[in-house]
Amino acid sequence: MLKINNLHASIDEKSILKGLNLEVKAGEVHAIMGPNGAGKSTLANIIAGKEDYEVTDGIIELNGEDISELAPEERAHNGVFLSFQYPVEIPGVSVTNFIKTAINETRKAKGLEDMPAKDMLKMIREKSELLEIDRKFLSRSLNEGFSGGEKKRNEIFQMAMLEPKLAILDETDSGLDIDALRIVANGVNKLKSKDNAVIVITHYQRLLDYIIPDFVHVLYDGKIVKSGDASLALELEAKGYDWIKQELV
Amino acid sequence: MKYTEEDLEQELKTKEYEYGFYTEIESETFAKGLNEDVVRAISLKKNEPKWMTDWRIEAFRVWEKMTEPDWANVNYEKPKFQDIAYYSAPKKKPKLNSLDEVDPELLDTFKRLGISLDEQKKLANVAVDIVMDSVSVATTFKKTLGEKGIIFMPISEAIQEHPELVRKYLGTVVPTTDNFYAALNSAVFSDGSFCYIPKGVRCPMELSTYFRINEGGTGQFERTLVVADKGSYVSYLEGCTAPSRDENQLHAAVVELIAMDDAEIKYSTVQNWYPGDKNGKGGVYNFVTKRGLCETNAKISWTQVETGSAITWKYPSCILKGNNSVGEFYSIAVTNHFQQADTGTKMIHLGKNTRSTIISKGISAGHSQNSYRGLVQINSRAENARNFSQCDSLLMGNACGAHTFPYIEVKNKSAQIEHEATTSKIGEEQLFYCNQRGIDTEKAIALIVNGFSKEVLNKLPMEFAVEAQKLLEISLEGSVG
């Protein structure tokens, strides 16, 4: 699915990723953990194609195709989805209108007609039930006046609607209370299949109680310095990150 | 593939005027220049009664003594008033019974503008009175309206057929002495529309007029007068597109609305005059005076979508004379490239319990300057007057400007006035968010702009809202990709 090789990237001349390697196969869930400033969000943004970053070296492949020259919307059309840490507000544009536009633009890029309203409605109904989203919520302006939990739930709702191949959840657990966390995690688990993959970026272990990763990676100073299974997350939770820094010295 | 503010600007710059063509229609044009003889000649040409000629002459004499206002936040080379031809009419002015008799070239122009009369007729009950180079050439739906006693015709015809009505109301809301451009318009107005709704009649369809400028170098001076008698209702639509020209074209219209007791007038405009090219060359100068008078319990609602013109100077206003009368102003003004707009409203509260609402949305891109200028005036006898104003500005890129000039004058302590203003910028974060969901930048801008303008777009009649939404997209994107 995703193959990242020797990725180097910088922003404003400041080097952030320094030779990162990562391989994610279909059907897998990977967690990326690490201390603040390690480059976790940078990695998410670079995969999604944010243009503030300069990729100075390395390869990003999605299903065997190099995507590093593609515009963000083209990557989205190829099935990359990023659940934002800080989703932006778009006043006057309803959640429904936004997702409708996103779906139909993606279809257009694939040479398909707009999704019939009937099908769209059915899909919205299913997915909003899955994430326990109130119908009224869908007519509100995108993220405007949303609580932290509503914003994150809305991100996962969009993910459910867009059915991506590769979903990257950037700090999706931040700002969620325990109930919202369970709903969001439950949604992600139900959307998981053998054909898609999920990368969970998180600071804390608690989301991983609900979304069980197949692999856990520690990102530190722009590189993945340690990989393991779900038990690694527990170890990090118990011991913090300092012991990893010690190991590296 | 970095997409910066500069790229955005670059893309916006390359948008060309969609309706930039010029149709050659044989027309009769006066020699350039303006003096009393020219005013008389216009009046004679139109076979006007003496009172009308005298009214024009009086206005001309007032205009001669006036100087052009320069308080607006716009910079431009002042028009050379002696270098403009003040009358232009298609030479062939046939009396038409059906569309078949209309000049095919003219019909073609309409088709290219996407407003073929055929379609218009079928679409949504719209009676269209088309003003082409100052003289109306086709009027439809006259019969249906006639049955209700509604008069809807070119003002030149109304002067002939209903002189008593025109004489009674013309210049009562915007007097000839009101301002420089209103005086000029009063002296030389070529044509326009007249509408009268009798007592208690609800006009069964949206009345619509399309204005075009089609002859290079001719100023266009439209005059519109809408009178809604007691307890009546009318919704009036005005839409403009103009062929692209190199030289600046002056447009100085006057619109007067009179809403008598318990009457309601809804006046909607989509304005898309040629804005000039991406270097700021050419484009229409749009200096318009629009004002409505509300008697007791009357309501006037102005809704405008302004996307065109090089210079816009326009303040649709309401004089809330009667008790319990209501004035509304909903506006979207888009400026791009080197366009300059200074637009807003005046709400003059004279009667008791009068209410007004102002919602203004300004969108600036390129090197344009977009100003909101509004006056809310509560006079001493206007007990319990209320106003709510909201002025929002959206900026794109770093080279444009948005300005807000709210004036509030209150002479009665019982007044309640609220004013809200916001300024925001389409940010890279918003664009990236949309991109990440598969929405390209061009579509994203359209989405954000439409969301920003929604409150006003919702006020437009349905068939106009669609056109307006399209126009917003054309005005700002076109360019991208």
Side-chain angles (χ1 to χ4, degrees), chain A residues 195-210:
Chain A
D195 300 318
N196 61 28
V198 182
I199 296 174
V200 180
I201 291 173
T202 183
H203 205 72
Y204 304 103
Q205 197 267 336
R206 86 181 171 147
L207 180 65
L208 305 179
D209 286 340
Y210 300 96

Side-chain angles (χ1 to χ4, degrees), chain B residues 30 38-54 56 87 93 95 135 155-161 163 189-191:
Chain B
F30 276 24
V38 171
V39 176
R40 272 181 216 286
I42 291 169
S43 193
L44 184 68
K45 195 93 206 159
K46 302 173 88 60
N47 199 22
E48 288 175 349
K50 185 170 178 299
W51 64 265
M52 193 66 240
T53 314
D54 293 346
R56 288 179 182 271
Y87 184 81
K93 200 211 170 187
K95 291 284 168 213
V135 173
I155 199 161
S156 58
E157 277 178 37
I159 290 166
Q160 307 294 334
E161 292 179 30
F189 74 84
S190 35
D191 213 335

Side-chain angles (χ1 to χ4, degrees), chain B residues 67-83:
Chain B
T67 46
E68 267 191 274
D70 57 5
W71 43 262
N73 187 27
V74 292
N75 291 301
Y76 61 98
E77 201 185 318
K78 301 264 188 284
K80 294 183 182 71
F81 292 97
Q82 295 304 334
D83 213 23

Side-chain angles (χ1 to χ4, degrees), chain B residues 10 68 246 302 361 411 463:
Chain B
Q10 199 55 43
E68 267 191 274
D246 243 351
W302 298 99
K361 305 275 181 178
K411 293 183 185 134
E463 61 269 34

Side-chain angles (χ1 to χ4, degrees), chain A residues 175-192:
Chain A
L176 289 186
D177 62 33
I178 197 76
D179 290 329
L181 185 71
R182 199 159 42 220
I183 291 165
V184 163
N186 190 25
V188 172
N189 286 330
K190 281 188 186 157
L191 296 168
K192 227 166 59 180

Side-chain angles (χ1 to χ4, degrees), chain B residues 8-16 278 337 367 479:
Chain B
L8 176 63
E9 235 176 82
Q10 199 55 43
E11 284 169 339
L12 285 164
K13 275 180 203 152
T14 53
K15 185 234 153 183
E16 298 296 338
K278 60 183 184 221
H337 304 313
H367 289 82
S479 52

Side-chain angles (χ1 to χ4, degrees), chain A residues 50-52 69 73 76-77 80-82 84 88-93 98 101-102 105 143 155 158, chain B residues 1-4 428-430 432-441 443 447-448 450-452 454:
Chain A
K50 191 165 193 197
E51 284 141 352
D52 298 354
E69 290 299 313
E73 63 270 24
H77 299 156
V80 174
F81 179 91
L82 172 62
F84 284 70
V88 299
E89 295 179 4
I90 307 185
V93 176
F98 184 75
T101 308
E105 286 297 300
N143 292 319
E155 292 292 288
Q158 292 182 40
Chain B
M1 294 294 295
K2 196 168 158 65
Y3 188 81
T4 60
E428 285 184 34
E429 293 299 323
Q430 273 178 322
F432 176 60
Y433 187 87
C434 293
N435 291 159
Q436 207 300 305
R437 298 301 187 247
I439 302 167
D440 66 27
T441 300
K443 189 81 189 170
L447 194 70
I448 294 165
N450 275 314
F452 174 77
K454 199 167 128 193

